[in-house]
Amino acid sequence: MTQPFRIKTGGRIHRDRPIGFSFNGKDYQGYEGDTLASALLANGVHLVARSFKYHRPRGIMTAGAEEPNAMVQLDTGNRTEPNLKATQVELFDGLTATSVNCWPSINFDVQAVNGMFHKLFPAGFYYKTMMSSPNLWHKFYEPMIRKAAGWGKAPPGPDPDFYDQMHVYCDVLVVGAGPAGLAAARAAASSGARVIIADEQSEFGGCLLSLKRQINGKKALTWVNEQVAALKAEPEVTTLHRTTIFGYYDQNYLVAIERRRDHLGLPSTPAKPKQRIWHIRAEQVVLATGSHERPLVFADNDRPGTMLAEAVKSYVNRFGVLSGSRAVLFTNNDRAYEAALDFHNAGGKVEAVVDIRPAPTGKLVDLIKECGIPLQTGQAIVATHGKKRVTGVDIMPFDGTNVTGARTSIPCDLLMTSGGWSPVVHLHSQAQGKLRYVDEKACFIPDHCPQDAVSVGGANGDFSIAKCLTTGIEAGMQAANLAGFGAGLDMSEADTDEATVDYPTPCWLVPGEKEIGHGSAKHFVDFQNDSTAADIKLASREGFRSVEHMKRYTLTGFGTDQGKTGNINGLAILAQTNKKTIPETGTTTFRPPYTSVTFGALAGRELGDFSDPVRRTPMHDWHCEQEAVFEDVGQWKRPRYFPKAGEDMLQAVNRECLAVRNGVGVLDATTLGKIDVRGKDAAEFLNRVYTNAWINLPVGSCRYGLMCGEDGMVYDDGVTARLGEHHFHMTTTTGGAATVYERLEDYLQTEWPDLDVWLTSVTEQWATISVAGPKARLVMEKLNPHHDWSNDAFPFMTFQDVALASCQARIFRISFTGELSFEINVPSRYGRAVWDAVMAAGEAYGITPYGTETMHVLRAEKGFIIVGQDTDATQTPLDLGMDWIVSKKKKDFVGKRSFSRLDTTKKDRKQLVGLLTENPHDVLDEGAQIIADETAPKPISMLGHVTSSYWSEALGHSIALAVVKGGPQRIGENLTAWSLGKSHKVKVVAPIFYDKESARRDG
C-alpha cells in the first residue's frame, strides 16, 4: 500500500514500523508515530467529515486539539468511541475509524441537500419557523431535529475498559511542555519543589516538534531531550505525557485526563487502565499552553484541502507528509511564510503566497522571493473552487476593507491560511482570570488572575521561542519561590536562530464581490458549528448584540471547539457590525472541559456495586457475625434487626423491643451525622440556624434542636452539645448529614461571612454506641465502677468524658427510646473494642443488640419524629406539636418570618397526631390515606396520610403516626385509613403512646 504524499525522509515517525488501519471501510498504511490525520493525509485522503448543519464536505484543518472538522468514530461494538479528533488519535495497528454526521456515506450524504436550501436555515431558524405550532413542534419538528442532530454513536452496551483516578498535590504545576513549559518546569524543579508537568501530546516539546530551530547552538529537539532527561532525573518531578488539563477550578484545583492505552489499541485491565483522571491541587500554577493559529474568514473557506499554515508545517516536519502537491498560502503575517518555505523545501510546489499586506518585508519574505515563489501582496482570496477538494482560488486586490480590480485564478489542491495567533487562554479563563486585548498583537492575552497562576510563552502572547524560554525560566523560579523554595539553578537566557517577524495585520473578514449573506458563498467563522459571518451580522440586526447572546444565537464558540479557532474572528466581526472596538465587545466564557472527556474516565471504577460508596461502621463485622439483616440508610449499611433461629422480622423486632423496655439493649448509632462547630461566633451561628436559643447553653450540656428552611419547614433535627465556650458537637439525621453540612457552609460563605465559625464533618471520626433500658446504668457501672452514674451526678441532657475499655469516651445522657440511655462516643478505631466491652458488661443483664426497625418502633411509641419520614418538607414545628422549641425571644432565626405567613397559621394544616386502629392487630400501611367517611360521594377529600406504622409489643396494640388536617382539634374523632382497596377504622389520639409522663427516662 503506497503513501503517495509521504516525504521520503524526515519526520519523527518510525518508518521501520508500518501500521495497517482502515478508514470508512478502506484499508490504508501509516507508520508508528503517525496520527490518524497525518496517515490519512499521507494517503491523499482529505475528505473526512461533513459539516454540522449544511453537511458540506470538510477536511483536516489543523494538527492538534483545535481541530474543528475531522471528528471520527473509533473502533466498534462496546469499545467504540465517538467524536474523537483525527489529529489527536495516535495510529495503532488494526485501528478502525469512520466518519460521523454523514449518511449513507462520506462521499454521498443525503443531508447535503440542506446546503441547497441554506437560506431557510439561518441562525435561529427553528425559533422563527418551528415554534408557531406546539403540536407541530412536539410531533414533527422536534423529533426531526433530534434525529438529525448529534455526532457519532454511543456504545450499545457497557464499556469493557477500566479507568483510574488519582489525587495528588504539588508545589508547582506546569501545564504544557513546549519551550516555555519545559523552561519553567526545569527552573522550578531545580529548587527542590515538587513539580508536575503535563502535556497533551505523546512527546514533550510543543511547537519545537514541528520547527526547524536551534537553541544555544544545538538542534531544538536536542535541547528538548536534555530538559526532559533532567526533569526525569529529579525525584520530586512527575512528567505526564498524553495528559490534558481540561478543567481549572477554585483554590488551584485542576483536573487532567491521561490517555494511558489509547495509543496501543489493546484492551485495558484493572492493572493497566485505559485512561486516568488526575485531581491535582497545586500551590502554584504555570500555564504554558501555547497559542492556536486562527484562519482567515473569506468566501467558501471550508473546502477540503484548506488548512492552517502551521498545521501544514507540522505535517511536513513532524510527520513527513505533504498535505498536497500544489499550494497557495493566504496570510496577513510573515510568520506563516515558514510553512510555504518548508512545504517548498520538502518537494511541494507553492503556486503563490497571497498576502493582504501591501508591502511585507523581512528575512522570510526575502527567502520566499529567493525560492522563486510568486508573491501576491495587497491581495485577498475572494473565492475557492472545487467540491470535495479545493482545486483553485480567485484573488483580487484588497485595501484592507474592500476588494476591487481584476480577478486572478490560481490552481491548487492545498490552501494554507493564517490569520494570526490566539493565546490558549481557556484555563486562565476557567480560573476566573480576566483578558486584555492587545492591538499590536491582535489578540487577547491574560490579565489579572485571582488564583495563584501565571501564563507564559505563547499563552501570554509571547510568540518568539527566545521570549518563551526567558519568561518560562522566570515563571518557574517565581513559582518555586512563592511555594516556599529558594533559588534553583542559574539558568541564563537561551539563544535562538529564529528570524524576527512582524505581528499580523488584523483582517477579520475578507468581503466578496457580493455583500455578505447574499449569493451562495459562505464565510465560515466557527467551522464546527457551521456559523458564518452572515449569521453574526444577522444576530446583530435582530438585537443579539451582546457577545454572549450572539454566541448562543449562532452557536459560535460552542461544542468541543470552545472557540479555539473561530472565537476572536467572531468577536471582531460582531464588533465591526456593532461599530464598536473589540475590547468594548468583550469575550465569551471558556468552560471546562478544554477537550472532550469520556464518561468512563469521569466515573473511574465507581461502577456497579461501586457507583455509590458503601459506608460501614467499625462494628460492621460483629453485626455480620450475628447474621444481622442490613438496610441501606443513605450510604451506610445499618443492621435492621438481629434474627435468632426461626425468627422472622416481626418476631425479632418484638423481642428486641421488649429487651429495651424491660432490660437493656444496645444500638450501633455510628451513622448519625456529626459536625464539629468551632469559633468565637459558634453559639451565635447555632442561634441563627436552630429555632430555639443556644447562646446561654452551659458547657457540658446538650440541647435538642430543629432546623427549618427559609420557608419555615423542618428539614433536620438533632442533639448538639457544648464542649467549650466556642466549641460545639452537632448531630444530624443519618441521611441528612451531607445536606445539613452543605447548607450550613452555604450560610457561612454567602449570608454570614463575618461570623468566625469553622465546620468540620466528623461523622466517620466517632463510633457511637447507645445503651438503653432500665438496666443501662448497671451496664455502665460495670464498664467503669469508679464513675458516678447516678442521675444527680450525671443528669439528663449532659455529657461527660469517661474512661472506658482503655480509651477515653465522650458519653451523652440522651434518649431516642424514652428509656434510660447512655450514648457512648469513642474514636472510630476503638469502636469494636468498646462494643465488645459493652456486650461483655451487659451479658449478665441479658443485653440485646437491636437494629433500626426496633429503633423506629421505640421512638414511635414515644411520639419522637423522624425528619423525612414523619415530615415531607411541608411541616413547621407547630404542625409537629413542637411549638415549645420555637423561641419567642430570639430576634431572628432561619425560617422565623415564614411562621407569620397566613398559610402557615391556617387551622386546617396537616399536623402530627397518633392513630389507634379499631382492631388492635391491624397494622396500617405507611402512606395510607386518611378520610372522614369512606361512604361519602366520590371523589372523597383526603385529610392526611400515615407517616409511621408499627406493631407495639409493649402495648399489645398497633400504633401509627399521621399528619392530618387540623390534627390536634380532631383528637377523639373516628376516621378511616384507606390503602390499596382496604379500609380500617381509626381513632385520632395524641402522638405519644408510651410513658406519657417520661418517668422511665431516668431509670
Side-chain angles (χ1 to χ4, degrees):
M1 290 180 281
T2 62
Q3 300 178 47
F5 290 89
R6 182 76 70 178
I7 303 169
K8 292 183 179 180
T9 59
R12 298 184 62 74
I13 56 174
H14 300 281
R15 296 174 184 268
D16 58 337
R17 302 174 195 169
I19 289 176
F21 70 100
S22 73
F23 179 68
N24 286 335
K26 187 175 180 180
D27 292 335
Y28 298 97
Q29 188 183 79
Y31 294 112
E32 185 177 310
D34 266 324
T35 63
L36 175 59
S38 66
L40 288 172
L41 291 172
N43 286 276
V45 179
H46 277 261
L47 175 59
V48 297
R50 290 282 178 163
S51 71
F52 173 66
K53 184 163 65 172
Y54 301 115
H55 288 255
R56 289 166 65 104
R58 289 281 171 82
I60 296 163
M61 181 177 172
T62 74
E66 68 273 28
E67 175 59 41
N69 294 333
M71 312 281 280
V72 298
Q73 182 101 18
L74 207 64
D75 290 332
T76 57
N78 291 346
R79 193 163 269 115
T80 188
E81 196 167 346
N83 305 330
L84 296 177
K85 298 179 179 181
T87 52
Q88 292 186 299
V89 174
E90 294 181 57
L91 206 64
F92 57 82
D93 198 36
L95 180 150
T96 300
T98 56
S99 298
V100 300
N101 199 39
C102 57
W103 184 84
S105 71
I106 188 71
N107 284 296
F108 179 72
D109 184 1
V110 170
Q111 292 190 69
V113 70
N114 291 356
M116 298 174 60
F117 299 98
H118 64 93
K119 288 189 179 293
L120 298 178
F121 301 108
F125 70 92
Y126 36 87
Y127 296 120
K128 305 167 188 174
T129 61
M130 298 181 176
M131 298 295 187
S132 58
S133 169
N135 286 332
L136 280 175
W137 169 254
H138 290 297
K139 294 180 180 179
F140 177 69
Y141 292 128
E142 185 181 25
M144 178 185 68
I145 288 178
R146 289 191 177 277
K147 186 175 182 179
W151 284 326
K153 297 179 180 178
D159 187 346
D161 283 307
F162 295 87
Y163 304 85
D164 260 345
Q165 302 217 13
M166 292 282 287
H167 297 261
V168 295
Y169 167 84
C170 65
D171 300 305
V172 180
L173 170 64
V174 180
V175 185
L182 287 173
R186 185 87 168 85
S190 66
S191 70
R194 184 182 300 175
V195 176
I196 295 176
I197 179 171
D199 191 276
E200 65 184 1
Q201 299 195 73
S202 60
E203 299 179 84
F204 282 0
C207 64
L208 297 178
L209 297 171
S210 303
L211 294 176
K212 294 180 179 179
R213 289 283 188 276
Q214 286 196 342
I215 299 176
N216 296 334
K218 303 175 183 178
K219 289 183 177 180
L221 292 179
T222 301
W223 179 86
V224 169
N225 293 336
E226 291 173 351
Q227 304 311 307
V228 172
L231 288 171
K232 291 186 175 180
E234 292 282 356
E236 295 294 336
V237 173
T238 300
T239 57
L240 296 176
H241 299 77
R242 301 182 175 92
T243 303
T244 303
I245 307 289
F246 64 82
Y248 197 146
Y249 305 94
D250 290 344
Q251 299 175 328
N252 269 16
Y253 168 54
L254 296 94
V255 186
I257 182 166
E258 179 188 12
R259 295 167 293 278
R260 297 173 62 83
R261 294 180 69 80
D262 296 57
H263 62 292
L264 301 176
L266 300 174
S268 59
T269 66
K272 296 179 179 180
K274 179 180 180 181
Q275 296 174 351
R276 174 178 288 165
I277 293 284
W278 289 77
H279 301 264
I280 305 169
R281 185 77 69 177
E283 187 74 20
Q284 299 290 322
V285 175
V286 178
L287 298 175
T289 47
S291 57
H292 289 150
E293 191 173 24
R294 56 180 177 252
L296 288 164
V297 180
F298 55 94
D300 295 328
N301 55 337
D302 69 325
R303 300 194 192 280
T306 304
M307 301 177 66
L308 294 180
E310 187 72 9
V312 174
K313 180 168 61 177
S314 181
Y315 288 119
V316 168
N317 296 327
R318 184 175 177 184
F319 299 103
V321 172
L322 286 175
S323 300
S325 55
R326 305 171 67 188
V328 169
L329 170 64
F330 181 29
T331 184
N332 63 352
N333 65 89
D334 50 357
R335 181 176 170 182
Y337 283 36
E338 272 192 295
L341 290 168
D342 288 349
F343 184 83
H344 169 81
N345 294 332
K349 183 178 181 181
V350 180
E351 297 288 353
V353 171
V354 180
D355 196 326
I356 68 163
R357 297 173 297 176
T361 59
K363 181 179 177 180
L364 293 174
V365 177
D366 294 339
L367 289 174
I368 285 289
K369 294 176 181 178
E370 290 174 12
C371 290
I373 297 174
L375 181 58
Q376 305 287 347
T377 60
Q379 303 271 329
I381 293 178
V382 296
T384 64
H385 302 289
K387 187 175 182 182
K388 296 178 182 177
R389 176 74 180 272
V390 64
T391 58
V393 299
D394 290 350
I395 65 173
M396 292 177 66
F398 180 51
D399 63 6
T401 304
N402 298 303
V403 290
T404 56
R407 178 190 290 251
T408 304
S409 295
I410 305 173
C412 65
D413 61 3
L414 173 64
L415 174 55
M416 298 181 278
T417 71
S418 177
W421 299 82
S422 298
V424 180
V425 296
H426 295 66
L427 293 179
H428 170 85
S429 182
Q430 290 176 21
Q432 304 303 307
K434 303 301 181 183
L435 301 176
R436 174 168 55 89
Y437 186 75
V438 180
D439 285 299
E440 182 186 27
K441 300 178 181 181
C443 65
F444 282 96
I445 67 171
D447 198 2
H448 170 71
C449 183
Q451 305 208 48
D452 292 322
V454 61
S455 297
V456 297
N460 195 42
D462 298 320
F463 301 126
S464 74
I465 302 301
K467 191 69 172 177
C468 288
L469 296 172
T470 301
T471 58
I473 292 169
E474 292 173 353
M477 295 176 64
Q478 182 184 24
N481 184 53
L482 291 172
F485 295 84
L489 294 177
D490 182 14
M491 299 178 64
S492 59
E493 295 183 9
D495 178 43
T496 68
D497 64 341
E498 63 187 329
T500 302
V501 295
D502 292 331
Y503 292 119
T505 297
C507 177
W508 308 115
L509 176 60
V510 178
E513 291 184 288
K514 293 184 177 181
E515 185 180 349
I516 302 295
H518 293 262
S520 60
K522 291 194 173 298
H523 300 66
F524 285 96
V525 177
D526 186 313
F527 294 83
Q528 186 168 99
N529 295 295
D530 267 2
S531 302
T532 66
D535 290 331
I536 295 173
K537 290 178 176 292
L538 175 65
S540 177
R541 290 198 303 272
E542 296 189 345
F544 297 94
R545 297 184 178 91
S546 162
V547 65
E548 291 288 3
H549 292 163
M550 179 276 288
K551 173 182 177 178
R552 284 152 181 79
Y553 195 63
T554 66
L555 301 184
T556 302
F558 266 68
T560 64
D561 185 66
Q562 280 290 297
K564 294 180 179 67
T565 56
N567 208 57
I568 184 64
N569 288 334
L571 302 180
I573 293 170
L574 180 66
Q576 289 178 345
T577 305
N578 292 340
K579 294 181 172 52
K580 291 185 177 182
T581 66
I582 293 177
E584 287 174 334
T585 301
T587 63
T588 56
T589 302
F590 296 111
R591 293 181 172 84
Y594 170 71
T595 54
S596 300
V597 182
T598 63
F599 286 115
L602 293 173
R605 302 195 183 189
E606 296 172 0
L607 305 169
D609 291 340
F610 301 102
S611 61
D612 198 29
V614 175
R615 304 167 80 180
R616 300 179 176 89
T617 73
M619 292 76 87
H620 181 82
D621 290 344
W622 189 94
H623 303 324
C624 292
E625 292 166 8
Q626 307 307 310
E627 298 183 350
V629 175
F630 290 92
E631 69 171 336
D632 294 328
V633 182
Q635 296 171 332
W636 288 98
K637 292 290 184 183
R638 296 198 69 178
R640 190 177 185 187
Y641 59 97
F642 294 84
K644 289 188 174 182
E647 285 185 336
D648 59 17
M649 185 179 78
L650 179 60
Q651 292 169 326
V653 170
N654 289 342
R655 174 178 52 79
E656 293 172 7
C657 286
L658 291 179
V660 176
R661 292 294 182 214
N662 300 323
V664 61
V666 60
L667 171 75
D668 182 355
T670 301
T671 63
L672 279 175
K674 308 175 192 73
I675 301 173
D676 192 81
V677 186
R678 298 176 186 243
K680 65 181 180 65
D681 297 317
E684 172 61 24
F685 176 63
L686 295 178
N687 214 45
R688 297 183 187 184
V689 299
Y690 280 125
T691 61
N692 49 345
W694 290 81
I695 296 294
N696 297 321
L697 179 69
V699 174
S701 294
C702 312
R703 184 164 290 166
Y704 173 76
L706 278 182
M707 291 183 190
C708 294
E710 305 285 354
D711 58 0
M713 306 304 163
V714 174
Y715 81 88
D716 206 81
D717 69 340
V719 173
T720 295
R722 191 166 197 165
L723 307 183
E725 184 180 0
H726 306 310
H727 188 191
F728 293 81
H729 176 89
M730 176 190 290
T731 63
T732 72
T733 58
T734 295
T739 302
V740 171
Y741 182 85
E742 289 173 1
R743 187 172 295 198
L744 296 183
E745 193 65 58
D746 180 63
Y747 282 132
L748 286 175
Q749 294 187 30
T750 63
E751 302 297 330
W752 309 314
D754 56 306
L755 293 185
D756 179 11
V757 178
W758 297 90
L759 306 178
T760 306
S761 175
V762 292
T763 300
E764 290 85 356
Q765 276 63 44
W766 294 95
T768 304
I769 303 164
S770 178
V771 181
K775 297 180 181 179
R777 186 174 285 115
L778 297 175
V779 176
M780 302 308 294
E781 288 173 346
K782 200 164 186 179
L783 284 168
N784 187 335
H786 305 294
H787 192 76
D788 189 348
W789 301 96
S790 67
N791 287 324
D792 292 337
F794 198 162
F796 185 63
M797 294 304 281
T798 64
F799 76 90
Q800 296 181 8
D801 292 329
V802 183
L804 287 185
S806 301
C807 74
Q808 199 71 10
R810 181 182 294 158
I811 302 177
F812 298 89
R813 268 290 317 274
I814 56 180
S815 177
F816 196 46
T817 63
E819 301 291 341
L820 171 67
S821 299
F822 297 88
E823 192 174 279
I824 303 168
N825 284 259
V826 295
S828 290
R829 62 184 180 278
Y830 295 111
R832 175 64 189 269
V834 174
W835 178 275
D836 289 341
V838 169
M839 294 303 297
E843 185 176 3
Y845 309 110
I847 193 168
T848 300
Y850 67 95
T852 55
E853 194 67 24
T854 296
M855 178 190 71
H856 286 315
V857 176
L858 296 172
R859 64 90 195 171
E861 289 173 343
K862 287 291 297 176
F864 297 152
I865 65 166
I866 291 183
V867 175
Q869 178 167 332
D870 299 303
T871 68
D872 60 3
T874 64
Q875 280 78 39
T876 68
L878 280 67
D879 295 333
L880 300 173
M882 300 174 70
D883 53 326
W884 53 268
I885 205 171
V886 180
S887 173
K888 308 297 190 295
K889 297 180 180 180
K890 285 200 303 183
K891 181 179 179 181
D892 199 10
F893 55 83
V894 177
K896 180 178 181 178
R897 282 166 290 182
S898 294
F899 295 155
S900 60
R901 291 190 298 119
L902 292 177
D903 185 69
T904 57
T905 58
K906 290 193 306 183
K907 293 184 178 181
D908 65 343
R909 288 182 57 81
K910 292 182 181 178
Q911 297 169 320
L912 187 70
V913 294
L915 298 177
L916 290 175
T917 56
E918 185 178 66
N919 181 347
H921 294 284
D922 290 339
V923 179
L924 302 175
D925 292 334
E926 291 182 352
Q929 305 297 291
I930 307 300
I931 55 179
D933 181 6
E934 63 178 320
T935 63
K938 295 179 176 57
I940 303 174
S941 297
M942 185 188 78
L943 299 177
H945 66 278
V946 176
T947 61
S948 299
S949 178
Y950 311 98
W951 168 260
S952 170
E953 188 71 4
L955 296 171
H957 202 298
S958 66
I959 60 172
L961 296 176
V963 287
V964 177
K965 289 183 178 181
Q969 288 75 42
R970 292 183 178 272
I971 290 179
E973 286 187 19
N974 293 315
L975 301 174
T976 299
W978 188 92
S979 175
L980 302 177
K982 296 180 181 179
S983 61
H984 299 277
K985 297 295 183 182
V986 296
K987 183 177 182 179
V988 181
V989 297
I992 302 175
F993 302 95
Y994 184 84
D995 185 29
K996 298 180 180 181
E997 296 78 21
S998 296
R1000 303 176 63 89
R1001 186 190 67 191
D1002 294 326

